[in-house]
Amino acid sequence: MRGLLLFLSFFIILTSCKNTTVEKPDNLIEEDKMINILYDVSVLEAIKLTNPKSLETRKINSNKYIYQKYKIDSLQFAKSDLY
């Protein structure tokens, strides 16, 4: 039983350590700009959690606001965030 556990542990360790990396996207958002975007996203999420009606009454769509403010699209943001 102990040998089986040792073998399974060793097998899991070997199979979980793959060198798969995410490729750099063509239209990567620069680091400083991405920091500002993530900061704004976190502030908007905090507003949603503390006072959900505040964004609704002002008719603010947080995703659309971020995309317009930083002149990016959702695909570019998703790929840069994943990278």
Side-chain angles (χ1 to χ4, degrees):
M1 182 69 178
R2 185 174 178 192
L4 180 63
L5 275 171
L6 185 62
F7 174 75
L8 286 175
S9 299
F10 184 69
F11 180 74
I12 289 172
I13 290 171
L14 283 179
T15 58
S16 66
C17 297
K18 295 181 183 178
N19 284 335
T20 57
T21 58
V22 178
E23 291 183 24
K24 185 176 179 178
D26 294 333
N27 56 353
L28 181 67
I29 299 170
E30 54 270 358
E31 185 177 357
D32 293 338
K33 189 175 184 180
M34 191 66 177
I35 290 170
N36 292 333
I37 291 170
L38 292 176
Y39 176 79
D40 285 349
V41 167
S42 65
V43 168
L44 287 169
E45 288 298 317
I47 292 170
K48 279 186 199 178
L49 289 175
T50 57
N51 191 2
K53 297 270 185 191
S54 64
L55 293 177
E56 290 175 15
T57 57
R58 291 176 178 83
K59 297 179 182 171
I60 296 174
N61 179 338
S62 57
N63 291 336
K64 190 175 181 180
Y65 172 77
I66 294 293
Y67 301 148
Q68 287 177 349
K69 180 178 178 181
Y70 292 101
K71 296 177 180 75
I72 59 173
D73 59 27
S74 59
L75 183 62
Q76 182 184 14
F77 175 71
K79 285 184 177 181
S80 295
D81 190 38
L82 182 64
Y83 179 72

